[in-house]
Amino acid sequence: MKDVDPTVPAAEVGRLARAVLDAVGSVVVGKRDALELVLAGILAGGHVLLEDLPGLGKTLTARSFAQALGLDFRRLQFTPDLLPADVTGSFLYDQRSGDFSFRAGPLFTNLLLADEINRTPPKTQSALLEAMQEKQVSVEGVTYRLDEPFHVLATANPIEYEGTYPLPEAQLDRFLLRVSFGYPDHDEEWEVLRRRIGRRREEAEIKPVVDAATLRGMQAALEDVVVEDSVGRYIVALTAATREHPSVLVGASPRGSLALLLLARARAVLAGREYVVPEDVKDVAAPALAHRITLRPEMWLRRVDPSFVVGEVLDQTPAPASGALPSHAAGRPGH
């Protein structure tokens, strides 16, 4: 019989999530906003694409979240010669038993770091698709369920294209959001060096703040976060506007609307609220939608970025006044 996960009240989710961020922030310096987005993606039950230049803390971020969340962690380096069986696992002949037995691949974990996912051919990339969407793996006609929670944090280099295989739109769409860190400023970079000097070793260890069962309870609690109809319609309007923008060839699908909803709920919890306001939606709009937009070919010549399109959509789409927020009139006598 399956164990029942502990119930985590919505207010407690916010406290635990902020404690996780503090723990990860003790190792990953000066990237609080980006770390909040990564954690929001995990709380929302999704997968995260970390797209940035080498050496900016993507691998460290994934390992630190696994430690702080008490999750089993594996790192898989994607290379041009990597085979699908190297990802999912395969059947091997056991001479002692005279039969074939299944040897599980690195996918069978709680948090998988798919490092440099765009360096492996599409056939191997597609081995992740079923696991990311269905949370199961099929090998030789046999289907194996993946233990929950299961999350993929994939990294990609946005500027080095030689010897790489760009992710197709169908696979990009499987990522709930895309996050970039950017370079640290001088003080943050010195802080990285100072902490390395202080711990006197390369690896940084983080004590678990929660465990896998508690994380599942935190994720379930997000279902209780209130989303007003006006905010929900705002989400739909933003996504639909990406399809009508003159610079866009293909806009975000309804899966983009769902990503906005899930991430806005997680963002509300991180802010200590049990209801979503339009600002939550705005905060996660670019990470949730930009990678789902295909620009017209001529836009690349003009150096138009999908994030710029999302910014224009946010500026042009009226945001509702959330009734979940207390009004001045509501606090006056007689109201």
Side-chain angles (χ1 to χ4, degrees):
M1 185 175 178
K2 186 178 178 179
D3 294 336
V4 178
D5 294 330
T7 301
V8 182
E12 180 69 4
V13 174
R15 187 192 68 81
L16 291 173
R18 288 188 289 273
V20 168
L21 286 170
D22 290 340
V24 175
S26 68
V27 174
V28 183
V29 177
K31 302 298 178 185
R32 183 76 176 201
D33 290 344
L35 296 179
E36 285 189 4
L37 287 171
V38 174
L39 183 56
I42 293 173
L43 289 177
H47 311 288
V48 183
L49 178 62
L50 305 174
E51 189 176 82
D52 220 326
L53 301 173
L56 295 182
K58 301 184 295 293
T59 302
L60 178 62
T61 295
R63 184 181 295 110
S64 298
F65 269 116
Q67 293 175 350
L69 294 169
L71 302 179
D72 182 45
F73 172 75
R74 292 191 184 183
R75 175 181 178 271
L76 180 59
Q77 179 66 51
F78 280 73
T79 56
D81 60 348
L82 197 71
L83 300 175
D86 297 326
V87 179
T88 61
S90 59
F91 283 92
L92 299 177
Y93 183 71
D94 189 339
Q95 291 184 339
R96 290 176 295 182
S97 65
D99 200 359
F100 287 89
S101 60
F102 180 66
R103 180 172 295 179
L107 267 182
F108 289 83
T109 187
N110 295 135
L111 196 153
L112 173 70
L113 173 61
D115 215 355
E116 295 188 293
I117 190 174
N118 57 335
R119 285 199 173 279
T120 202
K123 187 175 182 179
T124 304
Q125 291 175 359
S126 66
L128 280 176
L129 283 178
E130 182 185 12
M132 292 172 64
Q133 187 67 24
E134 306 296 337
K135 298 189 177 179
Q136 65 184 28
V137 173
S138 297
V139 181
E140 300 292 338
V142 182
T143 300
Y144 299 92
R145 295 292 300 176
L146 298 172
D147 292 336
E148 294 186 1
F150 171 71
H151 300 280
V152 174
L153 267 61
T155 71
N157 186 336
I159 64 167
E160 189 177 356
Y161 296 111
E162 186 175 350
T164 64
Y165 304 84
L167 295 177
E169 285 74 9
Q171 190 161 340
L172 278 175
D173 209 31
R174 295 301 194 277
F175 290 98
L176 195 63
L177 73 164
R178 181 176 62 183
V179 179
S180 297
F181 290 141
Y183 284 112
D185 62 31
H186 288 189
D187 290 338
E188 291 169 349
E189 193 162 355
W190 162 238
E191 182 65 16
V192 172
L193 302 183
R194 191 189 65 79
R195 293 185 187 185
R196 171 60 182 85
I197 294 170
R199 65 176 177 264
R200 302 176 67 87
R201 56 192 174 90
E202 187 61 32
E203 296 297 327
E205 295 292 330
I206 295 177
K207 292 183 178 179
V209 177
V210 298
D211 56 19
T214 304
L215 175 59
R216 290 194 296 266
M218 294 167 68
Q219 292 171 333
L222 261 64
E223 295 298 329
D224 296 326
V225 177
V226 176
V227 182
E228 290 183 319
D229 288 351
S230 62
V231 176
R233 289 186 177 276
Y234 178 54
I235 288 173
V236 172
L238 286 174
T239 308
T242 66
R243 304 165 200 159
E244 300 165 1
H245 194 281
S247 300
V248 172
L249 183 64
V250 180
S253 70
R255 187 177 284 155
S257 297
L258 182 59
L260 270 182
L261 169 67
L262 297 174
L263 289 170
R265 276 180 155 176
R267 185 68 186 83
V269 166
L270 289 173
R273 281 182 276 100
E274 298 180 18
Y275 54 88
V276 174
V277 297
E279 285 68 26
D280 296 324
V281 179
K282 294 176 183 179
D283 287 345
V284 299
L289 296 180
H291 65 292
R292 305 175 195 274
I293 294 173
T294 302
L295 296 176
R296 295 185 181 278
E298 62 269 22
M299 291 301 108
W300 293 107
L301 297 177
R302 301 179 189 175
R303 299 186 180 274
V304 174
D305 185 86
S307 296
F308 175 76
V309 171
V310 176
E312 285 196 337
V313 165
L314 286 170
D315 291 339
Q316 296 167 5
T317 306
S322 175
L325 291 171
S327 67
H328 176 67
R332 298 203 310 263
H335 288 78

